[in-house]
Amino acid sequence: MKKTWMVMAACSAVGACWPGAYAAEAAQMVGPAFPDFQTAAQVRQACDAGLRAAKARVTALEKEPASPGWIGDYDAFYSATEDAYGPIGFISNVHPDPKVRDAAEACDLRWQDFFTNASQNAKLYRAAKASVPVDDIDRETLRLALETFEDSGVGLPPAQRAKAKQLSNRISLLGQQFEKNVRDSKTKVEFTDEDLAGVPEGVLKAAKRDAKGRALLGLDYPTYYPVMERAEKAATREKMWRAKMNEGGPANLKLLAEIAKLRRDYAKLFGYDSYADFTLRRRMAKNTANTTRFLDEVKQAVTDGERRDIADLREAKAKHLGQPLDKTTVTRWDVAFYTERLRKERFTVDEESFRPYFPPQESLQFVMRIAETMFGVKYTPVPAKLWHPEAQAYAVSDAATGKPISSLMVDLYPREGKYNHAAVWSYRGGSTKTGRVPQAAMVVNFDRKGLTIEELDTLLHEFGHALHSNLSNTRYALNSGTSTQQDFVEAPSQMLEDWVFDRKVLKLFQDVCPTCKPVPDELIDKARAAREFTKGSMTARQHLYASFDLALHTAGAPEPMALWAKMEGDTPLGYAPGTMFPAGFAHVAGGYGAGYYGYLWSLVVAMDLRTAFSADRLDPAVGKRYRETVLSQGGQRPPELLVKDFLGRDMSPKAFFDYLAK
Ligand SMILES: [Zn+2]
């Protein structure tokens, strides 16, 4: 049984263009209204009712014999569970009331148990196995469904099957606790105003103060990054950085160690020595050896660049502090600060200077405008009561036909207890067979004063996931949008990542906000040049995360913290004793176990996809072809074929390695 996929990142004060957008036709939410959960009791009631109905559907489906139409009925069953489970699974991450979040989490675990049972249901499995597909889409959908049944342990002897279920439920519970520890962390780091010299005034003004008048800073992105990039005092940056590195705390290290061990036990039930071997056989990468080889190639390609970057930072630090180079070492908490200084010095780019150009609400309109230009769709705001008064709903329609195709919810700003990275929950899949429309929610955490260009890029990345859901046009909900291979799912998002550094693309900002001041062309050019700078060390960091995740899930059963200290210790900047990065590494504790390499793997695909847009990123003809061959297809065809359909040739890593070598 598949579970809902999550892909893990009022008018603003600046610019008064927003209310005008409502003047469009009185559009409505496409698909069902978002369920209104005000109390924990409502969540529990909905949970009970949803599970009761789902169990009745399993009983009905068990009676259905194998047939060419079986997969359609299985998909209808899946859709019904998604309707009951999807919004509840999602609000556990964003609802402002902690009691509602707790109730949603408890419900989530009951659903995970249900999904495991359904996937271990031998009657359903037999019917799936005996059903004969009528065409390639049915064949692929049945193949994927059979994999899910088999990977849940339906074919194991009863005792091992029970063990698989027990392990699976326990892993869900521990993963949930891990994420909760990060999300509900109320860490505040206290600083005097003197400590915060160099930090933008807005951060100080927004901060709460303790009895001694010290500013209490949280670890949310709009607070964390300005301190790391701008605080003149190394001690201030170190204190902030250490607090961030310890988010999740020792409790999460224990959870992660247990999760990794349970995953290995799970793989062993199926005759695999490691969880990586077990899980990678279903991915584009196919096995641990291919993944390791790929990561080694990346490492080779970035080693020199990383060394060069650090030498540059070291020089900048020596100059800044007026001390000899041989007495200067770069620390982890120096990286963002001196990178920012060098960006300013070499490229005269100051990230903070972009905020006035990119107010948050208008930035959202802007990324939607990009989609409208490239893909022939239209985003229209619609009234809706959602989980928080600031959350917004949009109807998506096809521009040529006016046909409503999907809905998108958006939650832009940080608040306590809210998921603190950027992510999209595709909580409802679409199906052309039943006329079911997809719905998704995009959750980000931006500064109300505006976005930097890097943050605008992050927004477009997440929006890329939302598009994958919004423009899905698959036969079955099972394959809708982001329900695709985990090492492909980032590609459509990453493809759009350099769009905001394009002059022509940025001109669209004035379409959605005529009163916003246009970003000068030369500033965009500089930002693009500055972006290339440090790509060696940035990619090396991604390589470290991916290698750590893979090593954690290999046969050797390493202890996570010791493994991390060793692996980070082997990098040029080393490991800072006392820190525990893995305690906050929610990807690995959650659904990305032995899957983090997928970010780099997908980037290879993304850069290859980009080559088709090299002459004009907004080309509507190429956009249309991309929408039809890739985005609309979700997971109903293998990713290799989608890319081949779009590019007219086999996939190639050339663009990626050329970029790293440049
Ligand atoms: Zn992503």
Side-chain angles (χ1 to χ4, degrees), residues 170-279:
R170 176 96 185 135
I171 292 167
S172 297
L173 173 75
L174 299 182
Q176 199 181 71
Q177 285 173 356
F178 188 102
E179 281 176 30
K180 189 183 167 77
N181 286 342
V182 176
R183 195 178 57 236
D184 288 355
S185 142
K186 294 198 170 61
T187 306
K188 294 277 184 260
V189 196
E190 69 281 342
F191 294 105
T192 64
D193 285 6
E194 202 192 333
D195 292 337
L196 294 175
V199 175
E201 217 173 283
V203 175
L204 274 86
K205 269 195 191 148
K208 286 191 181 133
R209 301 268 167 175
D210 68 5
K212 291 180 188 155
R214 291 177 305 185
L216 300 172
L217 301 188
L219 298 174
D220 55 288
Y221 289 155
T223 311
Y224 176 74
Y225 283 118
V227 172
M228 294 314 293
E229 285 169 3
R230 303 286 285 265
E232 287 281 336
K233 284 192 167 178
T236 300
R237 298 192 307 267
E238 180 177 357
K239 195 167 157 188
M240 195 73 174
W241 179 78
R242 283 185 180 273
K244 188 80 181 163
M245 287 306 111
N246 292 6
E247 218 177 11
N252 269 6
L253 290 180
K254 269 186 150 163
L255 288 171
L256 186 60
E258 193 181 344
I259 290 169
K261 185 190 165 301
L262 297 178
R263 284 182 180 146
R264 195 167 49 251
D265 292 349
Y266 193 87
K268 283 197 173 142
L269 291 175
F270 296 82
Y272 290 88
D273 285 341
S274 79
Y275 185 70
D277 289 339
F278 172 73
T279 191

Side-chain angles (χ1 to χ4, degrees), residues 8 461-462 465 490 599:
M8 307 218 286
H461 172 106
E462 280 323 314
H465 291 307
E490 294 295 328
Y599 281 98

